Amino acid sequence: MKRNRIFAGLLALALVLGLGLAACSKDDTQDVTPPVQTGDANKDPQPQPSPTLTEEECKTLVDEKLPEGYTSKAAGEVESSDIAEGRKYKVFDVMGADGKKAGAVAVDVESGDRYNYGEDGKLGEYSDFPLYNPSSDAVCDWNGVFQNGGLSVELMQADTTSFEFEFSDDTAGVARVKGNTASYNDGALTFTYRDDGSIEIGGSLKELAGTYTPA
């Protein structure tokens, strides 16, 4: 009987030790379980919205093209696909000194491009705007090499207000743009962009004057 009691005690002790080891093993497994990633970690970065021009910035773009005595007034915002799909525009009514409306201009809030805004609510080219003046408002591409006999000139436009030029005789400088015309050094050289794509050059530097055609 005594031997049976000893055997039973050893069996109970073995069971206790076995349960303790199992518990330790379970706890160790929990400690090394890797963290679970959330769904947000696998999402692609969301595209940032394009910057848009403020109403004041759009008004400045309108006013800088208006003849003296004319002013603009904000007339709301429209969304139109007349020029490009789903674009938004700030609209400005333009008035003369007498207060009468002379037309309206719409400005693309992303690109800053100007358009004529008709009475029917349709957008058209800025050249359709009643106060458009080709000598001051035309947008020309002052880039390229142009030839006039034995002379040539390369024009390199930096922005809408100026371009660099360099003649084959090494005369060089920066001309200021106004519509389809440009001037250098108070008229020492003048540039006129003609409808056929040629450049008429004049000014006090007579040796460089003439009509230059694309090379």
Side-chain angles (χ1 to χ4, degrees):
M1 295 295 292
K2 184 176 181 181
R3 180 180 298 176
N4 289 341
R5 286 197 297 272
I6 293 172
F7 178 78
L10 291 172
L11 180 61
L13 179 60
L15 287 173
V16 171
L17 290 173
L19 289 173
L21 290 172
C24 291
S25 176
K26 185 177 180 181
D27 290 341
D28 290 343
T29 302
Q30 288 177 339
D31 289 343
V32 297
T33 301
V36 178
Q37 283 188 330
T38 63
D40 291 340
N42 296 322
K43 289 183 179 179
D44 293 331
Q46 295 299 311
Q48 296 299 313
S50 300
T52 57
L53 298 172
T54 65
E55 182 177 283
E56 183 178 353
E57 289 170 330
C58 290
K59 187 177 187 302
T60 297
L61 290 172
V62 174
D63 291 345
E64 69 183 15
K65 290 289 187 179
L66 298 181
E68 188 175 350
Y70 286 85
T71 58
S72 68
K73 179 178 69 174
E77 181 177 282
V78 298
E79 185 170 335
S80 174
S81 298
D82 292 340
I83 305 298
E85 191 67 29
R87 305 286 283 193
K88 291 184 179 180
Y89 304 84
K90 298 285 188 183
V91 179
F92 298 85
D93 289 336
V94 176
M95 287 78 61
D98 56 3
K100 292 183 179 180
K101 183 177 176 179
V105 177
V107 179
D108 187 317
V109 298
E110 291 186 24
S111 68
D113 292 335
R114 289 169 285 248
Y115 298 94
N116 181 58
Y117 189 73
E119 292 292 337
D120 57 359
K122 297 289 186 181
L123 272 69
E125 296 300 324
Y126 187 68
S127 56
D128 296 330
F129 180 54
L131 299 178
Y132 174 82
N133 183 349
S135 66
S136 59
D137 296 334
V139 178
C140 301
D141 182 11
W142 300 94
N143 282 295
V145 177
F146 299 82
Q147 193 84 30
N148 176 31
L151 282 173
S152 66
V153 60
E154 182 177 8
L155 307 183
M156 298 155 284
Q157 187 168 11
D159 51 43
T160 57
T161 64
S162 66
F163 61 81
E164 295 180 58
F165 63 85
E166 184 174 354
F167 285 86
S168 52
D169 71 347
D170 293 333
T171 300
V174 176
R176 298 298 173 184
V177 173
K178 185 176 182 181
N180 67 339
T181 64
S183 178
Y184 165 70
N185 197 19
D186 293 330
L189 286 172
T190 61
F191 303 78
T192 302
Y193 199 103
R194 297 166 52 136
D195 292 339
D196 62 2
S198 63
I199 306 290
E200 186 70 31
I201 295 179
S204 58
L205 298 177
K206 302 295 186 183
E207 64 276 14
L208 298 176
T211 301
Y212 291 69
T213 57

